[in-house]
Amino acid sequence: MNEIWVNIGNVNNAARLELKAVHGGSGLGVMQLRFHVEASCRKDEAAQRPMWFEGSLYAEGLGTSSGYLARLSVESSPVTLHGLAATTTFVLVADLDHRQLQVIEEHRTAGMKFRLQLTGTTMRDGNLERIGVGSIESEVNQSNWVAILEQMQYRRLLLIELDAPDTNRSAELKVALDFYRDAEMRYLNQEWRLTVESLRQTLAALVGKVADEEDEAADVEAGFKALRREANKTKVGYPPRAEQARRALKFMCDLGAHPETAETTKAEAYSTLLMVGGLLYGWRR
């Protein structure tokens, strides 16, 4: 149901809340789901009485990832109905982060279904009094959900968040992940060249080497040519192709060993961090 009744004191159905629309929005570091609600006064007990609403937003239909999503708050409080049969509108806002939207996109099969669990407070004789509200269900079809994602500017971002690989897979991977975490810290400290240098160490450690033992440019080129010749004869799977990607990324990161800090920019450090992170996530050797 996209509507709910508000009970005030002993009076049931004093006001009615109806969900009219769902939109998206973006803020500083957050994305927003904005639920537009129409409130209507049905009994005198709800007239001229300020009401404050809040609650919790739940995502449904996402399998094991269903559940609590975010806190709901009214954008402009209080909500006041000035007379019997009067109506007003307000917006319930939920702030989401990029990771939450990524989980939704990984698990939804079509549109989205939300449940808004609301509570409320009103003023009676100068005292705050709890009012009974309840749950509103909201179903957003796939085309509308895509429009909401655009409003939140979700698809305008290049964002990668991956679970860290299991370090028990190999001793080399454990060392590589330690170097990668160092690269992340270097990036947070805005040390762009040192970020790439740590990634250089990461890529060498993946195969049990140190950075200075790795191949020169000619060896990288020769490796690609050999893999192409092999691919012309038989099917070459992901692991040997990933090894060539590792060698190419290592060659790229060799610039980080140079002492000229101006040679590496923030954009280069960040893009390399993402590429190496993706390689670590899928590494099978």
Side-chain angles (χ1 to χ4, degrees):
M1 295 290 291
N2 66 343
E3 65 178 38
I4 196 169
W5 291 91
V6 177
N7 303 324
I8 299 177
N10 295 323
V11 179
N12 294 331
N13 303 339
R16 178 174 175 265
L17 305 182
E18 182 180 3
L19 180 62
K20 289 292 190 179
V22 185
H23 296 294
S26 62
L28 185 61
V30 299
M31 298 176 178
Q32 292 182 333
L33 279 172
R34 302 171 60 84
F35 298 87
H36 295 253
V37 179
E38 180 184 85
S40 57
C41 184
R42 294 307 177 92
K43 294 184 180 179
D44 289 332
E45 285 74 11
Q48 298 293 339
R49 180 170 291 176
M51 293 180 286
W52 293 266
F53 296 105
E54 61 180 359
S56 301
L57 178 65
Y58 296 84
E60 300 185 344
L62 301 177
T64 56
S65 294
S66 300
Y68 176 79
L69 192 59
R71 178 178 176 270
L72 286 166
S73 60
V74 177
E75 189 170 55
S76 298
S77 286
V79 176
T80 304
L81 296 165
H82 295 289
L84 190 62
T87 62
T88 189
T89 58
F90 63 94
V91 180
L92 286 163
V93 178
D95 289 340
L96 308 180
D97 61 32
H98 302 98
R99 177 60 176 165
Q100 288 173 302
L101 285 175
Q102 183 176 335
V103 171
I104 287 174
E105 289 304 281
E106 288 173 354
H107 291 86
R108 73 177 179 90
T109 56
M112 277 299 301
K113 183 177 181 179
F114 298 104
R115 178 167 56 87
L116 291 70
Q117 185 71 42
L118 300 180
T119 60
T121 309
T122 190
M123 187 75 71
R124 180 198 291 266
D125 298 328
N127 297 313
L128 289 175
E129 177 183 289
R130 301 296 294 180
I131 56 178
V133 193
S135 296
I136 298 178
E137 293 183 357
S138 171
E139 292 197 36
V140 182
N141 63 36
Q142 181 158 327
S143 60
N144 287 341
W145 178 247
V146 170
I148 289 171
L149 289 175
E150 291 292 335
Q151 292 164 357
M152 291 191 285
Q153 299 187 14
Y154 173 70
R155 298 185 183 277
R156 299 183 191 179
L157 297 174
L158 291 175
L159 179 75
I160 298 178
E161 290 191 33
L162 303 170
D163 294 330
D166 182 3
T167 56
N168 293 322
R169 280 167 28 194
S170 71
E172 292 83 3
L173 183 58
K174 183 179 185 304
V175 175
L177 282 172
D178 287 341
F179 279 119
Y180 188 80
R181 293 187 179 100
D182 182 68
E184 291 180 311
M185 186 60 64
R186 299 288 189 179
Y187 182 83
L188 291 175
N189 290 331
Q190 300 186 356
E191 298 170 329
W192 314 132
R193 184 188 70 82
L194 294 177
T195 298
V196 176
E197 167 62 14
S198 293
L199 294 173
R200 175 176 178 256
Q201 302 287 348
T202 299
L203 293 162
L206 266 180
V207 292
K209 297 182 180 181
V210 297
D212 292 337
E213 294 176 351
E214 280 284 73
D215 303 325
E216 299 294 330
D219 298 313
V220 175
E221 182 179 1
F224 275 107
K225 289 181 178 178
L227 186 64
R228 181 175 292 276
R229 288 194 297 270
E230 184 179 353
N232 289 332
K233 300 176 184 178
T234 185
K235 181 180 179 180
V236 176
Y238 279 100
R241 292 170 188 256
E243 166 59 13
Q244 293 307 311
R246 185 199 66 82
R247 295 174 73 176
L249 277 173
K250 168 61 173 53
F251 178 60
M252 177 181 179
C253 291
D254 284 342
L255 289 170
H258 297 174
E260 299 86 358
T261 57
E263 188 166 349
T264 304
T265 67
K266 177 181 180 179
E268 290 160 346
Y270 185 59
S271 62
T272 310
L273 194 68
L274 293 181
M275 287 187 284
V276 175
L279 185 70
L280 285 173
Y281 180 75
W283 188 253
R284 294 175 292 170
R285 179 168 176 163

